[in-house]
Amino acid sequence: SIEMDLLHSNGVLIIQHLQRDYRAYQDFLNFMSHVGDPRNIFSIYFPLWFQLNQVVGTKMIWVAVIGDWFNLIFKWILFGHRPYWWVQETMIYPNQSSPCLEQFPITCETGPGSPSGHAMGSSCVWYVMVTAALSYTVRWKDKSAVTLHRLTWSFLWSIFWIIQISVCISRVFIATHFPHQVVLGVFAGILVAEAFEHTPAIQTASLRMYIKTNLFLFIFALGFYLSLKLLDIDLLWSVPKAKKWCANPDWINIDTTPFAGLVRNLGALFGLGLGINSEMFITSCKGKNSCKISFRILCIAASLATLQLYNFVKIPTHTEYLFYILSFCKSAAMPLTVVALVPYCVHSLMRTTEKKLN
């Protein structure tokens, strides 16, 4: 439509302005784009919070998975273009004088652009972290503590919005999103996170519930895709555009395709359910050692170190279905490691040390 073309063309002007006048901040903006990467939720934020507060850690995975699932459905419904290919195909510019937008190694994502998955994932998870931190201070009753709570509230929400704005600017700067797409992503993420503030049932969910949720999310997404395909609507329309207009073919990554994100999130949710309902979790995280600060610190350090090793596990991409299966397994292994394997090993090590001392 004409309105959407005008919105996109104005977005292109903003991107050109950022790329021209904020060149000195390129490294910082690229870094903030990585900060907003949804994959950091599973490898950094989750292991930190789960060992500090299992309720918050569990909520974080649910929010991240359901939020990213909604993001996928919204992307399929809205058919949002990305700037780096839209400027090459639109007819709005006369005499084929399309603007030149610089691309970066993280520009060429292959899924539709609206809403922004980075902005949505970042806002929903940081919303969970900020509200969790504030829940500790809201209980303070004396006058000085109330003042401190208000200062803490202002400080944490200021940090929240600084991070969200930085992530949004970074995604626009690298020409992978239009401004309205990142704004939509931020507020959609907040809505998902707020919904889970009132969903306590996830804390007592059984493994069967995790499996049923996984099956529902997968079947709904696959059914939605196949139904529209029968109507001759290709929901993977954005992949050929990304491959055609990306400045460097090596920047195209199968890990950014819509189904790759779906499989990754389903794996993480299944791994969490498997871990929380395992005997290793009950033995280690529900035992007497779980209250010790030393136990939690060791679990955090061991979890973060172990998860970094997963980065060295490269999944073969020559066969798409094999990639999805292995991606599911790898994603399931990460929360399982944090929730069950690492705490059990630390618990066993501490128990062995205590026996030797006695």
Side-chain angles (χ1 to χ4, degrees):
S1 66
I2 296 175
E3 292 80 5
M4 188 58 67
D5 282 341
L6 289 174
L7 186 63
H8 285 159
S9 62
N10 289 331
V12 168
L13 292 176
I14 294 174
I15 295 170
Q16 288 181 304
H17 168 69
L18 290 174
Q19 292 188 343
R20 181 181 65 249
D21 298 338
Y22 288 78
R23 175 65 55 194
Y25 303 100
Q26 176 180 330
D27 291 339
F28 170 74
L29 291 173
N30 285 335
F31 170 74
M32 288 308 300
S33 190
H34 286 294
V35 168
D37 192 332
R39 284 169 288 198
N40 289 332
I41 298 168
F42 308 116
S43 61
I44 298 176
Y45 304 141
F46 170 66
L48 278 171
W49 273 97
F50 187 83
Q51 307 302 350
L52 294 174
N53 188 315
Q54 293 167 9
V55 172
V56 178
T58 301
K59 185 193 299 180
M60 186 176 292
I61 291 290
W62 277 89
V63 165
V65 170
I66 301 301
D68 208 51
W69 183 83
F70 273 115
N71 182 263
L72 172 65
I73 301 301
F74 288 153
K75 283 180 184 292
W76 279 348
I77 292 173
L78 296 177
F79 281 79
H81 290 274
R82 294 186 185 271
Y84 75 92
W85 76 57
W86 181 82
V87 294
Q88 303 292 340
E89 297 191 342
T90 182
M91 303 300 292
I92 196 173
Y93 300 106
N95 302 323
Q96 297 182 340
S97 57
S98 58
C100 180
L101 298 182
E102 184 175 356
Q103 296 183 25
F104 303 86
I106 55 176
T107 295
C108 300
E109 297 205 8
T110 57
S114 186
S116 166
H118 280 64
M120 191 168 174
S122 175
S123 66
C124 71
V125 170
W126 279 92
Y127 188 93
V128 169
M129 291 192 287
V130 169
T131 53
L134 289 174
S135 67
Y136 290 102
T137 63
V138 76
R139 303 165 191 163
W140 300 341
K141 299 299 182 182
D142 58 273
K143 188 174 181 180
S144 61
V146 170
T147 303
L148 182 59
H149 167 71
R150 289 173 179 172
L151 290 173
T152 305
W153 187 95
S154 300
F155 174 75
L156 290 179
W157 283 117
S158 296
I159 293 296
F160 172 85
W161 284 111
I162 288 172
I163 290 174
Q164 304 320 312
I165 291 171
S166 298
V167 169
C168 289
I169 292 175
S170 72
R171 301 302 290 171
V172 174
F173 174 83
I174 63 174
T176 200
H177 285 295
F178 291 102
H180 69 278
Q181 295 174 342
V182 293
V183 172
L184 180 59
V186 168
F187 287 103
I190 291 173
L191 287 175
V192 172
E194 179 60 28
F196 275 89
E197 291 293 318
H198 311 285
T199 314
I202 60 174
Q203 302 298 335
T204 56
S206 64
L207 180 58
R208 178 176 292 183
M209 183 62 185
Y210 276 90
I211 294 174
K212 285 182 178 179
T213 304
N214 256 14
L215 287 174
F216 170 79
L217 296 178
F218 178 73
I219 291 172
F220 186 97
L222 183 62
F224 187 73
Y225 169 78
L226 293 176
S227 297
L228 290 184
K229 193 170 184 178
L230 290 174
L231 298 175
D232 203 27
I233 300 175
D234 183 14
L235 294 180
L236 300 181
W237 59 273
S238 59
V239 178
K241 290 183 181 294
K243 291 179 178 179
K244 181 179 180 180
W245 297 115
C246 184
N248 187 337
D250 293 335
W251 295 346
I252 296 290
N253 193 336
I254 190 175
D255 202 29
T256 66
T257 58
F259 278 112
L262 175 65
V263 169
R264 182 171 59 246
N265 287 306
L266 294 183
L269 188 62
F270 176 72
L272 175 66
L274 199 61
I276 284 181
N277 291 280
S278 68
E279 286 297 325
M280 287 188 291
F281 170 77
I282 296 171
T283 301
S284 56
C285 294
K286 296 296 183 181
K288 62 178 182 178
N289 280 333
S290 62
C291 298
K292 297 180 180 178
I293 298 297
S294 57
F295 173 79
R296 296 188 179 188
I297 292 175
L298 284 172
C299 284
I300 290 173
S303 296
L304 290 172
T306 304
L307 291 186
Q308 297 313 306
L309 297 178
Y310 282 97
N311 294 329
F312 295 100
V313 179
K314 301 300 180 183
I315 300 176
T317 58
H318 58 276
T319 304
E320 192 170 357
Y321 293 112
L322 178 62
F323 171 84
Y324 290 146
I325 293 172
L326 295 179
S327 181
F328 178 90
C329 295
K330 179 181 176 180
S331 299
M334 295 177 74
L336 181 62
T337 298
V338 174
V339 171
L341 297 178
V342 166
Y344 184 76
C345 291
V346 172
H347 168 77
S348 300
L349 180 64
M350 292 180 69
R351 188 174 59 181
T352 302
T353 305
E354 289 173 359
K355 286 182 178 180
K356 287 182 179 180
L357 291 176
N358 294 332

